[in-house]
């Protein structure tokens, strides 16, 4: 209906106004002869993807499609599927199950590899479609530039997207670091994700997409469009002047750091203008192995990261494993609720030597590179745990122990916890999960997991109060830091460093540069007083961008 | 059974384009080759999914194994491939 505004999650900045075209994905009405064997399905899908790769308009799109073509012809995937068929599974199910199995393995590795998991699931769908004689639908070509409104987009769908035809993307699922967000940013077109109801609302209407605020305007009137254009022009001007270290307009320093989970990510971040690493996840060294990595191997790997960040902050998180990320050498028994089980720092109660060796290796790498990494523990729930961890860290010769605050108990008792350590970093994703009793993996619980939930902001506020009481710095390394308006709210609550996916840095830097601390504090107070996540978001935006 | 140990030179690790080049070279050789971490389970080196799942990073060692009369020749070629830093221009390649 005209004048309606739907709010999702801002995924790529910019403004576009055009007719909306709804796309439901799935299969086109075209029917072809079904592939008789899994091998035939594989050949067809591979050939199709290679053809599309040749047509791709960007190097990144081409690379995505070529990788997908390799997955579609992967010998192990096909063997897995054939084994399923031999055991009695229908071929269409067997290819999906094989794809799911590999997708799970990649997801467990996280980071870049975890993102490839959805690609593999997409391949399973394409192979299945080939076996059914169906053709996976392509993006619409209505003959005019439009705003694409879909449920979700697979990498293969977006790789061929032409930004002169598709002026903006709005999807009902996804998150700020989903491949849709990354691709849209790469193409320079606005995108909004997690915008439920977008398809029904936008179908058949002209729309305006504000990628900065995550808003979809249905049939906006001319005044609204003018206002949106003015806002966008202001943002562009601000972004152009925003270089250098993170700070507010009145000079309050807020270092902008990156989250990394592999050496590759760290090397890429080293070359950027990130002020350091706010979260160095160390699981990649331990996952997928029969035995623990040797101290030498750990020292070598940590040194590769530290050596590239001499003079910049590096915050290392010690091994965060649980029964859902099984490590054969960490003998954690199967659990009904891995999120509530023996995970993170708790594994040290059964095998303290693993943590001890990790700390020894971190200290050796620090000494070898002349750096002083900060070291924090995941899943700290009590003062006793914080005290024990700090003692271990210092005993290993590392001077700066800290904790992740991701368990509500630690946030509520932050002053006592912080008395034991030198800093804390808020893991807002898990904090939200535990505070709202909502499993992070379940997309259908979307609203509960919205980082703007006032209850989560209240826990951040409690944590920051503890930081002030003990004069210890509080940072945020969850997804919340990558949303520019929410980042300003966090600063208003007392957070003084923000760590995020590298792609999110420029927008956060630009917004912070444009507001003073008092404005951040007003936005924070308004958000805290709001009854819902949606209202928290809109009142904060109103304060930050009047 | 012939065996080679090699340190992965590519800065992006055995991911993306380097993994694609590696698995395609294995497939082109017509030879059965496995790859593993020094203390880990061996997987099919012609399978990009299996290779990616190893999560091998820059500077880490892998073991390549193969059998038969062409084994040494093929393994040497693969070692050379892994010892070169392929510049990965595309972040998502």
């Amino acid at each position: 209906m005209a004048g309606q505004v739907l709010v999702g999650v801002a995924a790529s900045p910019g403004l576009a106004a055009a007719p909306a075209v709804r796309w439901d994905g799935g299969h086109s009405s075209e029917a072809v002869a079904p592939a008789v064997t899994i091998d035939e399905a594989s050949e067809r899908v591979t050939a199709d993807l290679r053809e599309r790769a040749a047509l791709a308009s960007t190097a990144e799109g081409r690379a995505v499609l070529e990788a997908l073509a390799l997955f579609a012809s992967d010998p192990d995937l096909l063997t897995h599927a054939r084994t399923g068929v031999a055991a009695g599974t229908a071929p269409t199910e067997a290819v999906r199950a094989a794809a799911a199995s590999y997708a799970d393995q990649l997801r467990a590795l996280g980071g870049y590899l975890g993102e490839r998991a959805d690609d593999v699931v997409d391949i399973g769908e394409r192979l299945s479609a080939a076996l059914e004689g169906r053709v996976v639908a392509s993006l619409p070509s209505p003959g005019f530039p439009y705003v694409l409104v879909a449920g979700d987009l697979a990498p293969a769908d977006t790789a061929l997207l032409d930004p002169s035809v598709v002026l903006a993307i709005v999807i009902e699922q996804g998150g700020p670091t989903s491949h849709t967000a990354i691709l849209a940013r790469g193409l320079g077109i606005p995108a909004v994700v997690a915008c439920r109801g977008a398809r029904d609302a936008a179908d058949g209407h002209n729309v305006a997409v504000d990628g900065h605020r995550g808003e979809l305007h249905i049939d906006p009137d001319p005044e609204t469009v003018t206002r949106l254009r003015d806002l966008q022009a202001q943002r562009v001007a601000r972004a152009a002047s925003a270089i250098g270290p993170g700070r507010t307009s009145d000079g309050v320093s807020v270092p902008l750091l990156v989250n990394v989970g592999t050496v590759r990510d760290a090397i890429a971040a080293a070359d950027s203008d990130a002020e350091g690493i706010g979260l160095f996840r160390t699981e990649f060294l331990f996952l997928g192995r029969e035995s623990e990595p040797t101290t030498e191997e750990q020292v070598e790997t940590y040194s590769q990261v530290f050596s590239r960040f001499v003079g910049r902050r590096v915050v290392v998180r010690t091994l965060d494993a649980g029964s859902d990320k099984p490590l054969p050498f960490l003998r954690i028994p199967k659990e009904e609720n891995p999120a509530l089980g023996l995970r993170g720092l708790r594994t040290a109660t059964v095998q303290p030597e693993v943590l001890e060796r990790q700390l020894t290796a971190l200290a050796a790498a620090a000494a070898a590179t002349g750096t002083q990494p900060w070291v924090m523990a995941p899943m700290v729930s009590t003062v006793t745990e914080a005290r024990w961890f700090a003692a271990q860290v210092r005993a290993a010769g590392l001077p700066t122990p800290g904790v992740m605050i991701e368990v509500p108990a630690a946030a509520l008792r932050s002053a006592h916890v912080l008395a034991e350590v030198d800093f804390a970093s808020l893991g807002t994703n898990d904090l939200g999960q535990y505070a709202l009793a909502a499993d992070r993996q379940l997309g259908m619980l979307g609203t509960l997991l919205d980082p703007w939930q006032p209850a989560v902001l209240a826990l951040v506020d409690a944590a920051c109060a503890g930081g002030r009481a003990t004069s210890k710095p509080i940072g945020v390394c969850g997804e919340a830091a990558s949303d520019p308006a929410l980042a300003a709210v966090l600063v208003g609550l007392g957070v003084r460093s923000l760590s995020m996916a590298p792609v999110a840095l420029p927008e956060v830097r630009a917004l912070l540069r444009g507001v003073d601390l008092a404005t951040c504090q007003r936005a924070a107070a308004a958000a805290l007083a709001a009854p819902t996540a949606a209202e928290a978001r809109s009142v904060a935006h109103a304060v930050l961008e009047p | 059974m012939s065996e080679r140990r090699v340190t992965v030179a590519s800065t992006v690790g055995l991911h993306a384009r380097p993994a694609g080049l590696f698995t395609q070279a294995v497939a082109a050789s017509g030879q059965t080759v496995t790859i593993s971490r020094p203390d880990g389970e061996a997987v099919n080196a012609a399978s990009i999914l299996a290779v990616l799942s190893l999560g091998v990073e820059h500077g880490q060692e892998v073991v390549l194994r193969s059998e038969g009369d062409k084994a040494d020749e093929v393994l040497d070629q693969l070692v050379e491939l892994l010892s070169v830093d392929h510049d990965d221009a595309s972040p998502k390649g």
Side-chain angles (χ1 to χ4, degrees):
Chain A
M1 107 197 126
Q4 192 187 5
V5 181
L6 276 79
V7 181
V9 172
S12 175
L15 177 72
V21 174
R22 175 191 186 125
W23 190 62
D24 291 307
H27 303 121
S28 74
S29 48
E30 191 188 337
V32 295
V36 176
T37 61
I38 289 180
D39 284 313
E40 196 190 319
S42 164
E43 274 161 29
R44 249 196 237 177
V45 171
T46 305
D48 175 62
L49 289 165
R50 291 229 166 93
E51 258 176 57
R52 289 166 178 248
L55 294 172
S57 52
T58 63
E60 181 165 305
R62 185 165 37 249
V64 169
L65 290 164
E66 277 168 3
L68 286 169
L70 282 178
F71 294 162
S73 54
D74 189 288
D76 276 16
L77 178 72
L78 301 178
T79 303
H80 196 302
R82 275 188 231 108
T83 307
V85 171
T89 313
T92 49
E93 260 324 292
V95 292
R96 283 205 193 101
S101 159
Y102 282 98
D104 287 343
Q105 284 180 50
L106 288 175
R107 214 168 271 127
L109 290 167
Y112 162 81
L113 291 174
E115 289 159 24
R116 303 278 68 76
D118 288 336
D119 297 354
V120 178
V121 170
D122 184 46
I123 289 301
E125 288 304 317
R126 287 175 185 273
L127 290 171
S128 189
L131 288 166
E132 289 174 330
R134 299 168 79 187
V135 176
V136 172
S138 307
L139 288 182
S141 311
F144 51 81
Y146 64 92
V147 170
L148 176 65
V149 185
D152 200 355
L153 292 174
D157 301 324
T158 45
L160 285 184
L161 206 146
D162 181 348
S164 65
V165 174
V166 177
L167 302 184
I169 301 174
V170 179
I171 58 174
E172 296 191 13
Q173 298 184 47
T177 55
S178 64
H179 75 267
T180 300
I182 293 165
L183 183 108
R185 283 193 238 232
L187 290 172
I189 58 173
V192 177
V193 300
C195 187
R196 292 196 307 184
R199 280 175 295 178
D200 286 340
D203 205 2
H205 293 274
N206 287 322
V207 297
V209 177
D210 180 338
H212 189 95
R213 289 203 188 192
E215 290 176 351
L216 172 66
H217 298 252
I218 313 292
D219 281 327
D221 59 30
E223 289 77 35
T224 304
V225 177
T226 305
R227 181 174 54 82
L228 290 172
R229 289 198 198 285
D230 287 344
L231 259 180
Q232 181 60 14
Q234 281 170 37
R235 289 169 193 149
V236 169
R238 255 202 327 251
S241 61
I243 45 164
R247 57 174 180 74
T248 60
S249 65
D250 55 340
V252 174
S253 170
V254 183
L256 300 176
L257 316 166
V258 288
N259 297 338
V260 301
T262 61
V263 172
R264 172 186 187 265
D265 292 343
I267 291 174
D271 292 335
S272 75
D273 52 6
E275 295 165 70
I277 298 177
L279 169 61
F280 178 20
R281 298 186 210 99
T282 56
E283 291 73 60
F284 72 97
L285 258 174
F286 296 81
L287 288 174
R289 305 179 57 125
E290 293 297 314
S291 59
E292 197 185 325
T294 62
T295 314
E296 291 73 39
E297 199 185 332
Q298 289 195 54
V299 174
E300 160 65 24
T301 306
Y302 300 143
S303 298
Q304 279 181 49
V305 173
F306 298 164
S307 63
R308 287 174 167 88
F309 282 86
V310 176
R312 288 189 275 184
R313 188 186 308 183
V314 175
V315 183
V316 184
R317 186 184 67 189
T318 55
L319 178 61
D320 187 11
S323 67
D324 54 341
K325 292 182 215 167
L327 297 181
F329 52 89
L330 259 191
R331 295 174 292 276
I332 307 171
K334 185 130 174 49
E335 294 165 334
E336 286 289 330
N337 294 305
L340 303 177
L342 200 72
R343 61 183 301 110
L345 186 60
R346 299 170 185 178
T347 58
T349 57
V350 289
Q351 276 177 272
E353 331 79 60
V354 175
L355 175 63
E356 220 178 277
R357 284 190 281 268
Q358 183 174 32
L359 292 175
T360 304
L362 285 166
T369 54
T371 54
Q372 290 173 317
W374 295 14
V375 181
M376 64 183 178
M379 281 300 280
V380 171
S381 315
T382 65
V383 171
T384 310
E385 288 172 348
R387 183 177 297 158
W388 181 85
F389 181 71
Q392 302 306 303
V393 170
R394 292 187 182 116
L398 293 155
T400 318
V403 297
M404 290 240 7
I405 292 185
E406 47 193 340
V407 176
L412 294 170
R413 301 293 288 174
S414 60
H416 295 265
V417 170
L418 283 161
E420 308 295 331
V421 295
D422 294 351
F423 72 96
S425 187
L426 295 167
T428 51
N429 304 1
D430 268 328
L431 202 53
Q433 167 173 262
Y434 296 123
L436 284 115
D439 190 335
R440 278 173 66 179
Q441 322 267 36
L442 296 179
M444 67 187 72
L445 295 176
T447 324
L448 294 177
L449 296 164
D450 185 334
W452 285 91
Q453 282 290 348
V456 179
L457 298 179
L459 287 169
V460 173
D461 191 38
C464 289
R468 280 188 291 273
T470 55
S471 302
K472 306 280 173 70
I474 308 282
V476 168
C477 57
E479 216 171 87
S482 64
D483 175 341
L486 187 46
V489 163
L490 294 170
V491 170
L493 291 171
V495 169
R496 286 296 176 266
S497 68
L498 298 164
S499 193
M500 63 202 78
V503 69
L505 260 136
E507 281 290 302
V508 172
R509 179 185 289 118
L511 190 136
L512 283 179
R513 282 294 178 104
V515 290
D516 59 17
L517 181 63
T519 306
C520 293
Q521 289 168 334
R522 276 191 299 116
L528 267 180
T532 65
E535 286 188 53
R537 184 188 266 111
S538 68
V539 296
H541 275 293
V543 169
L544 295 167
E545 277 191 322
Chain B
M1 175 72 76
S2 297
E3 191 179 295
R4 298 284 187 284
R5 291 197 168 217
V6 51
T7 302
V8 172
S10 184
T11 39
V12 300
L14 202 44
H15 304 161
R17 195 165 152 264
L21 291 172
F22 174 74
T23 53
Q24 287 180 298
V26 173
S29 76
Q31 196 69 7
T32 302
V33 180
T34 66
I35 179 172
S36 72
R37 290 177 169 278
D39 58 354
E41 199 192 312
V43 300
N44 183 1
S47 161
I48 188 165
L49 289 171
V51 169
L52 287 180
S53 303
L54 286 179
V56 176
E57 298 285 330
H58 165 70
Q60 293 183 340
E61 230 191 9
V62 292
V63 181
L64 306 177
R65 294 185 184 91
S66 187
E67 243 171 12
D69 17 283
K70 288 190 61 198
D72 289 310
E73 188 191 315
V74 169
L75 288 181
D76 286 339
Q77 183 201 349
L78 294 172
V79 162
E80 214 185 289
L81 194 63
L82 290 177
S83 307
V84 174
D85 183 1
H86 297 277
D87 192 28
D88 193 56
S90 161
K92 290 290 171 232

